[in-house]
């Protein structure tokens, strides 16, 4: 059943949305920036970082605050995304996160947007930190690894101030697929991987490594073999003999373009007759 269309007001302007949609999605679709550290569309909302907070208004007067990544819209909902109180709240949070992850340039950039360039809080710097003192413990990497990739390589370790994200006992993991989804998702750029020849190394995850596949056309190593096997096991109907699957993205593009050109030439010839 199609969701009912509703009207919501963001910073005084009316927008159309589907009833029950998350406010953060409605805002982003309409080009309205709301900062977030723990929200990702492909995962269930978590509401942990509090960066996406907005003010809910009733006839222009503040009613309460809510996190926009957990706020489901309804007809007539009215919010302010950058009120004085919201900004003040975000500034304090950013100072806290800067103390937690002092080396993250992405976080520094976000903080500067709110005029925050330093923190009054004690910096939680760790010697030899595998996440380069850039992790804010948002948990996105842990969740994407287990909920989306089904690998469960990493998790929260320890408690309180000593909480870290890593592989169990900081040991190499044989569950890692080498997909780099964790690094892609990390809002602070904390997770490091590197490719060396036919090996992909997860520097941040105790130097866990996986083998890479070689492109049959150009010889370049391009995708983790384990990831390929995992995809095969899910999409068991995938054509195993399709020559494209053993090609890197560049070579795949070249082959497809060649095929399209050939089809077009044949079509032209057919119609010219
Ligand atoms: S490494 Fe990145 S994604 Fe993982 S918890 Fe830390 S900040 Fe979040
Ligand atoms: S993005 Fe909404 S609470 Fe983290």
């Amino acid at each position: 059943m199609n969701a009912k269309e509703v009207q919501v007001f963001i910073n005084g302007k009316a927008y159309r949305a589907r009833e029950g949609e998350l406010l953060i999605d409605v805002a982003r679709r309409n080009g309205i920036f709301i900062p977030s550290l723990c929200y990702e569309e492909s995962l269930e909302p978590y509401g942990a970082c509090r960066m996406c907070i907005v003010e809910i208004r009733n006839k222009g007067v503040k009613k309460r605050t809510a996190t926009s990544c957990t706020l489901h819209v309804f007809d007539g909902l009215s919010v302010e995304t950058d009120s004085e109180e919201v900004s003040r709240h975000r500034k304090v949070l950013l100072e806290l996160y800067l103390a937690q992850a002092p080396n993250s340039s992405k976080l520094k950039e976000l903080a500067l947007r709110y005029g925050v360039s330093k923190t009054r809080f004690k910096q939680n710097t760790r010697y030899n930190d595998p996440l380069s003192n850039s992790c804010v413990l948002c948990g996105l990497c842990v969740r994407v690894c287990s909920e989306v990739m089904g690998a469960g390589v990493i998790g929260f370790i320890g408690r309180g101030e000593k909480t870290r994200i890593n592989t169990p006992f900081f040991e190499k993991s044989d569950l890692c697929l080498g997909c780099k989804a964790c690094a892609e998702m990390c809002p602070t750029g904390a997770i490091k991987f590197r490719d060396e020849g036919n090996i992909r190394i997860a520097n941040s995850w105790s130097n866990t490594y996986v083998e890479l596949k070689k492109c049959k056309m150009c010889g370049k190593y391009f995708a983790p073999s384990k990831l390929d096997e995992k995809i095969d096991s899910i999409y068991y109907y995938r054509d195993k003999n399709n020559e494209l699957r053993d090609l890197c993205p560049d070579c795949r593009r070249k082959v497809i373009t060649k095929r399209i050109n050939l089809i077009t030439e044949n079509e032209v010839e057919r119609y010219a007759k």
Side-chain angles (χ1 to χ4, degrees), residues 3-21:
K4 194 174 126 197
E5 197 176 86
V6 294
Q7 189 175 44
V8 298
F9 297 86
I10 307 178
N11 303 331
K13 207 172 153 199
Y15 296 93
R16 297 250 145 234
R18 286 181 303 278
E19 188 171 44
E21 249 189 299

Side-chain angles (χ1 to χ4, degrees), residues 31-74:
I32 300 159
F33 175 74
I34 297 182
S36 70
L37 289 173
C38 72
Y39 176 67
E40 158 55 41
E41 248 178 277
S42 58
L43 295 168
E44 281 297 304
Y46 197 43
C49 74
R50 317 290 298 173
M51 280 300 295
C52 67
I53 210 154
V54 294
E55 221 172 82
I56 301 182
R57 299 255 168 126
N58 187 9
K59 297 190 181 121
V61 180
K62 181 197 155 193
K63 234 171 101 196
R64 64 183 173 97
T65 52
T67 46
S68 60
C69 70
T70 56
L71 178 62
H72 297 273
V73 302
F74 50 87

Side-chain angles (χ1 to χ4, degrees), residues 11 23-25 27-28 31-40 47-55 66-70 80-83 86-91 93-94 97 106-107 109-114 140 187:
N11 303 331
L23 178 72
I24 196 164
D25 290 338
R28 287 183 175 175
I32 300 159
F33 175 74
I34 297 182
S36 70
L37 289 173
C38 72
Y39 176 67
E40 158 55 41
C49 74
R50 317 290 298 173
M51 280 300 295
C52 67
I53 210 154
V54 294
E55 221 172 82
T67 46
S68 60
C69 70
T70 56
E80 281 292 319
T81 62
D82 264 321
S83 67
V86 165
S87 281
R88 217 172 30 242
H89 174 91
R90 281 192 193 133
K91 280 181 184 174
L93 279 177
L94 283 162
Y97 288 130
K106 281 191 176 178
L107 190 63
E109 239 172 72
L110 179 63
L112 274 181
R113 250 185 119 128
Y114 289 88
L140 275 181

